[in-house]
Short mmCIF file of all heavy atoms in Angstrom, two decimals:
data_model
loop_
_atom_site.label_atom_id
_atom_site.label_comp_id
_atom_site.label_asym_id
_atom_site.label_seq_id
_atom_site.Cartn_x
_atom_site.Cartn_y
_atom_site.Cartn_z
N TYR A 458 -1.93 49.85 7.00
CA TYR A 458 -1.53 48.53 6.36
C TYR A 458 -0.58 48.82 5.12
O TYR A 458 0.34 48.35 4.90
CB TYR A 458 -2.70 47.74 6.05
CG TYR A 458 -2.48 46.54 5.30
CD1 TYR A 458 -2.25 45.28 5.93
CD2 TYR A 458 -2.42 46.34 3.86
CE1 TYR A 458 -2.17 44.02 5.32
CE2 TYR A 458 -2.29 45.25 3.20
CZ TYR A 458 -2.13 44.09 3.99
OH TYR A 458 -1.89 42.86 3.26
N LEU A 459 -1.20 49.72 4.24
CA LEU A 459 -0.51 50.06 3.00
C LEU A 459 0.85 50.84 3.13
O LEU A 459 1.85 50.59 2.57
CB LEU A 459 -1.39 50.72 2.01
CG LEU A 459 -2.60 49.92 1.52
CD1 LEU A 459 -3.48 50.77 0.68
CD2 LEU A 459 -2.07 48.77 0.69
N ASP A 460 0.82 51.68 4.09
CA ASP A 460 2.04 52.46 4.46
C ASP A 460 3.10 51.55 4.99
O ASP A 460 4.23 51.65 4.59
CB ASP A 460 1.70 53.53 5.54
CG ASP A 460 0.91 54.77 5.01
OD1 ASP A 460 0.80 54.87 3.70
OD2 ASP A 460 0.45 55.53 5.80
N VAL A 461 2.67 50.68 5.92
CA VAL A 461 3.68 49.72 6.43
C VAL A 461 4.25 48.80 5.35
O VAL A 461 5.41 48.56 5.27
CB VAL A 461 3.09 48.83 7.61
CG1 VAL A 461 3.81 47.69 7.97
CG2 VAL A 461 2.92 49.82 8.85
N ALA A 462 3.34 48.40 4.48
CA ALA A 462 3.68 47.35 3.41
C ALA A 462 4.78 48.04 2.47
O ALA A 462 5.75 47.48 2.15
CB ALA A 462 2.56 47.02 2.61
N ASN A 463 4.48 49.29 2.01
CA ASN A 463 5.35 50.03 1.27
C ASN A 463 6.64 50.32 1.97
O ASN A 463 7.83 50.25 1.36
CB ASN A 463 4.79 51.44 0.87
CG ASN A 463 3.56 51.10 -0.24
OD1 ASN A 463 3.57 50.26 -0.88
ND2 ASN A 463 2.60 52.11 -0.14
N PHE A 464 6.71 50.61 3.25
CA PHE A 464 7.85 50.89 3.93
C PHE A 464 8.74 49.58 4.01
O PHE A 464 9.99 49.65 3.84
CB PHE A 464 7.46 51.41 5.37
CG PHE A 464 8.69 51.40 6.45
CD1 PHE A 464 9.48 52.48 6.39
CD2 PHE A 464 8.86 50.36 7.29
CE1 PHE A 464 10.58 52.52 7.14
CE2 PHE A 464 10.01 50.57 8.15
CZ PHE A 464 10.87 51.61 8.13
N LEU A 465 8.11 48.45 4.37
CA LEU A 465 8.93 47.19 4.47
C LEU A 465 9.49 46.89 3.19
O LEU A 465 10.63 46.29 3.01
CB LEU A 465 8.09 46.14 5.18
CG LEU A 465 7.84 46.33 6.55
CD1 LEU A 465 6.92 45.17 7.13
CD2 LEU A 465 9.16 46.29 7.41
N LYS A 466 8.67 47.00 2.08
CA LYS A 466 9.22 46.63 0.75
C LYS A 466 10.37 47.56 0.36
O LYS A 466 11.29 47.03 -0.29
CB LYS A 466 8.01 46.81 -0.30
CG LYS A 466 7.02 45.56 -0.23
CD LYS A 466 6.09 45.65 -1.34
CE LYS A 466 4.85 46.59 -0.97
NZ LYS A 466 3.91 46.47 -2.09
N SER A 467 10.33 48.84 0.89
CA SER A 467 11.50 49.69 0.54
C SER A 467 12.74 49.18 1.25
O SER A 467 13.88 49.73 0.95
CB SER A 467 11.13 51.08 0.82
OG SER A 467 11.11 51.39 2.21
N LYS A 468 12.56 48.45 2.42
CA LYS A 468 13.63 48.00 3.16
C LYS A 468 14.09 46.60 2.79
O LYS A 468 14.87 45.98 3.50
CB LYS A 468 13.29 48.02 4.65
CG LYS A 468 12.93 49.35 5.21
CD LYS A 468 14.06 50.37 5.15
CE LYS A 468 13.70 51.71 5.66
NZ LYS A 468 14.93 52.63 5.57
N GLY A 469 13.69 46.07 1.69
CA GLY A 469 14.13 44.88 1.15
C GLY A 469 13.35 43.66 1.55
O GLY A 469 13.71 42.45 1.30
N PHE A 470 12.09 43.81 2.06
CA PHE A 470 11.23 42.72 2.45
C PHE A 470 10.21 42.39 1.28
O PHE A 470 9.66 43.38 0.69
CB PHE A 470 10.44 43.03 3.70
CG PHE A 470 11.31 42.90 4.92
CD1 PHE A 470 12.12 43.98 5.35
CD2 PHE A 470 11.23 41.80 5.73
CE1 PHE A 470 12.90 43.89 6.49
CE2 PHE A 470 12.12 41.71 6.97
CZ PHE A 470 12.79 42.79 7.26
N ASP A 471 10.03 41.18 1.05
CA ASP A 471 8.93 40.84 0.10
C ASP A 471 7.59 40.71 0.85
O ASP A 471 7.57 40.06 1.81
CB ASP A 471 9.32 39.42 -0.66
CG ASP A 471 10.41 39.52 -1.58
OD1 ASP A 471 10.63 40.55 -2.18
OD2 ASP A 471 11.19 38.50 -1.51
N HIS A 472 6.55 41.31 0.26
CA HIS A 472 5.26 41.03 0.86
C HIS A 472 4.68 39.78 0.18
O HIS A 472 3.93 39.76 -0.62
CB HIS A 472 4.34 42.28 0.58
CG HIS A 472 3.07 42.30 1.28
ND1 HIS A 472 2.06 43.23 1.15
CD2 HIS A 472 2.58 41.48 2.29
CE1 HIS A 472 1.10 43.07 2.00
NE2 HIS A 472 1.37 41.95 2.68
N TYR A 473 5.02 38.66 0.99
CA TYR A 473 4.77 37.28 0.20
C TYR A 473 3.43 36.69 0.55
O TYR A 473 3.13 35.75 -0.03
CB TYR A 473 5.93 36.35 0.43
CG TYR A 473 6.03 35.68 1.84
CD1 TYR A 473 5.50 34.42 2.06
CD2 TYR A 473 6.48 36.31 2.87
CE1 TYR A 473 5.46 33.73 3.20
CE2 TYR A 473 6.56 35.84 4.16
CZ TYR A 473 6.05 34.49 4.27
OH TYR A 473 6.10 33.89 5.64
N GLU A 474 2.83 37.25 1.64
CA GLU A 474 1.48 36.68 2.02
C GLU A 474 0.85 37.92 2.69
O GLU A 474 1.34 38.87 3.20
CB GLU A 474 1.68 35.60 2.99
CG GLU A 474 0.44 34.75 3.31
CD GLU A 474 -0.41 35.37 4.45
OE1 GLU A 474 0.16 36.16 5.28
OE2 GLU A 474 -1.62 34.94 4.57
N VAL A 475 -0.52 37.82 2.74
CA VAL A 475 -1.31 38.92 3.24
C VAL A 475 -0.72 39.64 4.47
O VAL A 475 -0.67 40.92 4.58
CB VAL A 475 -2.79 38.42 3.60
CG1 VAL A 475 -3.57 39.50 4.34
CG2 VAL A 475 -3.53 38.00 2.34
N SER A 476 -0.28 38.92 5.47
CA SER A 476 0.18 39.39 6.82
C SER A 476 1.69 39.16 7.06
O SER A 476 2.11 39.39 8.10
CB SER A 476 -0.66 38.91 7.86
OG SER A 476 -2.03 39.09 7.81
N ASN A 477 2.41 38.83 5.93
CA ASN A 477 3.73 38.45 6.19
C ASN A 477 4.76 38.95 5.15
O ASN A 477 4.45 39.06 4.00
CB ASN A 477 3.85 36.84 6.07
CG ASN A 477 3.23 36.31 7.44
OD1 ASN A 477 3.82 36.18 8.32
ND2 ASN A 477 1.85 35.83 7.22
N PHE A 478 5.88 39.37 5.75
CA PHE A 478 7.04 39.94 4.98
C PHE A 478 8.24 39.23 5.30
O PHE A 478 8.42 38.90 6.42
CB PHE A 478 7.12 41.49 5.31
CG PHE A 478 5.93 42.30 5.11
CD1 PHE A 478 4.79 42.36 5.95
CD2 PHE A 478 5.78 43.13 4.01
CE1 PHE A 478 3.70 43.00 5.72
CE2 PHE A 478 4.78 43.94 3.69
CZ PHE A 478 3.59 43.82 4.66
N ALA A 479 9.04 38.93 4.18
CA ALA A 479 10.38 38.25 4.54
C ALA A 479 11.43 38.76 3.54
O ALA A 479 11.11 39.21 2.47
CB ALA A 479 10.09 36.76 4.37
N LYS A 480 12.69 38.64 4.16
CA LYS A 480 13.84 38.66 3.18
C LYS A 480 13.91 37.55 2.20
O LYS A 480 13.28 36.49 2.55
CB LYS A 480 15.11 38.84 4.09
CG LYS A 480 15.25 40.05 4.93
CD LYS A 480 15.54 41.24 4.18
CE LYS A 480 15.75 42.54 5.11
NZ LYS A 480 16.99 42.39 5.94
N SER A 481 14.49 37.77 1.21
CA SER A 481 14.47 36.64 0.13
C SER A 481 15.00 35.40 0.73
O SER A 481 16.00 35.20 1.31
CB SER A 481 15.40 37.21 -1.04
OG SER A 481 15.42 36.01 -2.06
N GLY A 482 14.23 34.35 0.61
CA GLY A 482 14.51 32.93 0.96
C GLY A 482 14.20 32.74 2.47
O GLY A 482 14.45 31.62 2.94
N ARG A 483 13.71 33.69 3.15
CA ARG A 483 13.37 33.49 4.62
C ARG A 483 11.90 33.41 4.84
O ARG A 483 11.49 33.70 5.97
CB ARG A 483 13.96 34.66 5.41
CG ARG A 483 15.48 34.71 5.28
CD ARG A 483 16.21 33.44 5.46
NE ARG A 483 16.01 32.74 6.78
CZ ARG A 483 16.44 31.69 7.15
NH1 ARG A 483 17.33 31.02 6.48
NH2 ARG A 483 16.24 31.17 8.33
N GLU A 484 11.03 33.09 3.88
CA GLU A 484 9.66 32.88 4.13
C GLU A 484 9.40 31.65 5.04
O GLU A 484 10.27 30.84 5.09
CB GLU A 484 8.96 32.67 2.77
CG GLU A 484 8.98 33.74 1.72
CD GLU A 484 10.31 33.65 0.90
OE1 GLU A 484 11.23 32.78 1.20
OE2 GLU A 484 10.53 34.61 0.00
N SER A 485 8.25 31.82 5.72
CA SER A 485 7.92 30.64 6.59
C SER A 485 7.52 29.53 5.81
O SER A 485 6.42 29.43 5.20
CB SER A 485 6.78 31.09 7.49
OG SER A 485 6.33 29.87 8.24
N LYS A 486 8.42 28.42 5.78
CA LYS A 486 8.09 27.15 5.01
C LYS A 486 6.91 26.53 5.64
O LYS A 486 6.07 25.89 4.90
CB LYS A 486 9.34 26.27 5.10
CG LYS A 486 10.57 26.80 4.31
CD LYS A 486 11.65 25.69 4.48
CE LYS A 486 12.94 26.33 3.76
NZ LYS A 486 14.10 25.32 3.86
N HIS A 487 6.70 26.54 7.01
CA HIS A 487 5.63 25.93 7.64
C HIS A 487 4.37 26.45 7.23
O HIS A 487 3.46 25.79 6.95
CB HIS A 487 5.83 25.95 9.17
CG HIS A 487 4.77 25.09 9.91
ND1 HIS A 487 4.84 23.82 10.06
CD2 HIS A 487 3.53 25.44 10.48
CE1 HIS A 487 3.78 23.39 10.69
NE2 HIS A 487 3.00 24.36 11.04
N ASN A 488 4.29 27.80 7.40
CA ASN A 488 2.94 28.49 7.00
C ASN A 488 2.64 28.43 5.54
O ASN A 488 1.43 28.48 5.24
CB ASN A 488 2.94 29.86 7.60
CG ASN A 488 2.96 30.01 9.04
OD1 ASN A 488 2.34 29.14 9.64
ND2 ASN A 488 3.48 31.00 9.63
N LEU A 489 3.64 28.30 4.66
CA LEU A 489 3.35 28.10 3.27
C LEU A 489 2.59 26.70 2.95
O LEU A 489 1.85 26.63 2.07
CB LEU A 489 4.70 28.23 2.51
CG LEU A 489 5.14 29.68 2.15
CD1 LEU A 489 6.61 29.61 1.57
CD2 LEU A 489 4.21 30.38 1.20
N LYS A 490 2.88 25.87 3.82
CA LYS A 490 2.14 24.60 3.70
C LYS A 490 0.59 24.78 3.85
O LYS A 490 -0.22 24.16 3.07
CB LYS A 490 2.62 23.60 4.79
CG LYS A 490 4.00 23.09 4.68
CD LYS A 490 4.14 21.99 3.83
CE LYS A 490 5.52 21.36 3.86
NZ LYS A 490 5.73 20.17 2.86
N TYR A 491 0.24 25.55 4.80
CA TYR A 491 -1.15 25.89 4.98
C TYR A 491 -1.78 26.69 3.78
O TYR A 491 -2.85 26.42 3.18
CB TYR A 491 -1.47 26.66 6.31
CG TYR A 491 -1.05 26.10 7.58
CD1 TYR A 491 -0.01 26.54 8.26
CD2 TYR A 491 -1.83 25.14 8.09
CE1 TYR A 491 0.38 25.97 9.50
CE2 TYR A 491 -1.57 24.50 9.32
CZ TYR A 491 -0.50 24.92 9.89
OH TYR A 491 -0.19 24.33 11.25
N TRP A 492 -0.97 27.60 3.34
CA TRP A 492 -1.40 28.46 2.16
C TRP A 492 -1.62 27.90 0.88
O TRP A 492 -2.28 28.13 0.01
CB TRP A 492 -0.68 29.76 2.23
CG TRP A 492 -0.67 30.63 3.49
CD1 TRP A 492 -1.72 30.73 4.22
CD2 TRP A 492 0.40 31.26 4.11
NE1 TRP A 492 -1.50 31.46 5.32
CE2 TRP A 492 -0.13 31.85 5.27
CE3 TRP A 492 1.79 31.36 3.85
CZ2 TRP A 492 0.66 32.65 6.14
CZ3 TRP A 492 2.52 32.10 4.69
CH2 TRP A 492 2.07 32.71 5.80
N ARG A 493 -0.65 26.66 0.81
CA ARG A 493 -0.74 25.92 -0.48
C ARG A 493 -1.59 24.79 -0.31
O ARG A 493 -1.61 23.82 -1.13
CB ARG A 493 0.72 25.44 -0.79
CG ARG A 493 1.65 26.56 -1.23
CD ARG A 493 3.02 26.17 -1.39
NE ARG A 493 3.90 27.28 -1.90
CZ ARG A 493 5.24 27.34 -1.73
NH1 ARG A 493 5.90 26.33 -0.99
NH2 ARG A 493 5.89 28.38 -2.18
N SER A 494 -2.40 24.67 0.77
CA SER A 494 -3.36 23.61 1.08
C SER A 494 -2.67 22.21 1.03
O SER A 494 -3.23 21.17 0.59
CB SER A 494 -4.50 23.62 0.00
OG SER A 494 -5.25 24.79 -0.03
N GLU A 495 -1.55 22.12 1.64
CA GLU A 495 -0.71 20.92 1.77
C GLU A 495 -0.95 20.29 3.18
O GLU A 495 -1.53 21.00 4.07
CB GLU A 495 0.71 21.13 1.54
CG GLU A 495 1.04 21.73 0.13
CD GLU A 495 2.52 21.99 -0.07
OE1 GLU A 495 3.34 21.65 0.83
OE2 GLU A 495 2.88 22.58 -1.06
N SER A 496 -0.55 19.01 3.42
CA SER A 496 -0.82 18.33 4.64
C SER A 496 -0.03 18.90 5.68
O SER A 496 1.25 19.10 5.56
CB SER A 496 -0.64 16.83 4.39
OG SER A 496 -1.51 16.19 3.46
N VAL A 497 -0.56 19.05 6.85
CA VAL A 497 0.14 19.29 8.07
C VAL A 497 -0.45 18.53 9.33
O VAL A 497 -1.64 18.49 9.44
CB VAL A 497 -0.04 20.87 8.45
CG1 VAL A 497 0.58 21.26 9.69
CG2 VAL A 497 0.52 21.68 7.24
N ALA A 498 0.38 17.70 9.97
CA ALA A 498 -0.05 17.08 11.28
C ALA A 498 -0.22 18.08 12.30
O ALA A 498 0.65 19.05 12.42
CB ALA A 498 0.84 15.99 11.44
N ALA A 499 -1.01 17.74 13.30
CA ALA A 499 -1.24 18.69 14.35
C ALA A 499 -1.53 18.02 15.62
O ALA A 499 -2.25 16.93 15.62
CB ALA A 499 -2.36 19.67 14.16
N LEU A 500 -0.96 18.51 16.89
CA LEU A 500 -1.21 17.94 18.19
C LEU A 500 -1.36 19.03 19.19
O LEU A 500 -0.90 20.13 18.98
CB LEU A 500 0.01 17.07 18.59
CG LEU A 500 0.18 15.69 17.96
CD1 LEU A 500 1.49 15.04 18.28
CD2 LEU A 500 -0.98 14.84 18.53
N GLY A 501 -2.28 18.78 20.19
CA GLY A 501 -2.43 19.73 21.26
C GLY A 501 -3.81 20.27 20.99
O GLY A 501 -4.27 20.47 20.05
N ALA A 502 -4.51 20.61 22.23
CA ALA A 502 -5.79 21.12 22.26
C ALA A 502 -5.93 22.40 21.48
O ALA A 502 -5.16 23.27 21.46
CB ALA A 502 -6.25 21.48 23.82
N SER A 503 -6.97 22.27 20.54
CA SER A 503 -7.39 23.38 19.62
C SER A 503 -6.46 23.45 18.33
O SER A 503 -6.82 24.16 17.43
CB SER A 503 -7.45 24.79 20.20
OG SER A 503 -6.26 25.51 20.10
N ALA A 504 -5.53 22.59 18.35
CA ALA A 504 -4.63 22.56 17.14
C ALA A 504 -5.38 21.97 15.92
O ALA A 504 -6.15 20.99 16.19
CB ALA A 504 -3.36 21.75 17.33
N THR A 505 -5.23 22.48 14.69
CA THR A 505 -5.94 21.95 13.55
C THR A 505 -4.93 21.48 12.54
O THR A 505 -4.06 22.09 12.24
CB THR A 505 -6.83 23.10 12.96
OG1 THR A 505 -7.76 23.66 13.93
CG2 THR A 505 -7.52 22.69 11.69
N GLY A 506 -5.27 20.26 12.07
CA GLY A 506 -4.37 19.64 10.92
C GLY A 506 -5.21 19.42 9.74
O GLY A 506 -6.42 19.53 9.66
#
Side-chain angles (χ1 to χ4, degrees):
Y458 177 92
L459 292 175
D460 285 349
V461 164
N463 290 331
F464 173 76
L465 288 177
K466 284 187 283 188
S467 75
K468 299 297 182 180
F470 286 81
D471 294 324
H472 193 181
Y473 77 99
E474 192 272 341
V475 171
S476 301
N477 289 276
F478 300 76
K480 294 288 182 68
S481 181
R483 301 310 303 179
E484 298 83 359
S485 170
K486 294 178 183 177
H487 184 84
N488 287 334
L489 280 167
K490 293 276 187 179
Y491 296 109
W492 300 321
R493 290 171 176 159
S494 300
E495 297 176 10
S496 295
V497 177
L500 283 171
S503 90
T505 300

